[in-house]
Amino acid sequence: HVQLVESGGGSVQAGGSLRLSCVVSQWPTNDYCMGWFRQAPGKQREGVAMIDSDDGDTGYADTVKGRFTISKDNAKNILYLQMNSLESEDTAMYYCAAEPGAEVVAGIFESPFTYWGQGTQVTVS
């Protein structure tokens, strides 16, 4: 059973940095896509960053491109999201998610994901 547990959220001033971590109990399959999503109060959940298990391809929402970096440590079973130059608009609950068999291709940000963590709050002031 795949379990995802996020950590690393907190409060930070605009322009600051945070690194989110997501401990994965087991990678869902040999072929999967991992992603970070966020949801701000009163807004729909949106995909932020994705990474493909096969070739390490990554994808980012336009709003975070150049500021956020997604990565994973296969040996430690951890997914990361390095967030730099944070803005107040980045304030949200951040979730990691996993989808077996998915790839980082057009439409992945709108695709359903099967496994979800409980979220970690990021507040930028």
Side-chain angles (χ1 to χ4, degrees):
H1 181 63
V2 178
Q3 292 182 312
L4 310 176
V5 180
E6 304 95 334
S7 63
S11 296
V12 65
Q13 290 188 336
S17 298
L18 282 174
R19 187 176 77 160
L20 305 183
S21 299
C22 174
V23 175
V24 185
S25 62
Q26 63 184 73
W27 302 114
T29 60
N30 290 330
D31 178 21
Y32 55 90
C33 179
M34 297 291 299
W36 286 98
F37 294 77
R38 67 186 182 187
Q39 187 166 20
K43 294 187 177 181
Q44 286 191 335
R45 186 174 60 200
E46 62 172 343
V48 173
M50 306 288 169
I51 187 165
D52 191 313
S53 66
D54 271 353
D55 50 18
D57 272 355
T58 57
Y60 297 91
D62 288 342
T63 51
V64 306
K65 205 171 290 184
R67 299 188 298 122
F68 289 12
T69 302
I70 188 172
S71 62
K72 62 186 181 72
D73 185 327
N74 291 333
K76 296 181 180 178
N77 282 19
I78 301 177
L79 178 74
Y80 297 104
L81 184 67
Q82 177 67 44
M83 305 186 296
N84 299 328
S85 302
L86 283 162
E87 304 167 351
S88 58
E89 291 78 12
D90 296 317
T91 295
M93 185 71 80
Y94 283 72
Y95 301 89
C96 69
E99 178 60 19
E103 297 179 337
V104 178
V105 294
I108 185 64
F109 286 88
E110 292 77 35
S111 298
F113 275 60
T114 300
Y115 302 103
W116 291 85
Q118 83 291 347
T120 186
Q121 177 68 37
V122 172
T123 302
V124 184
S125 59

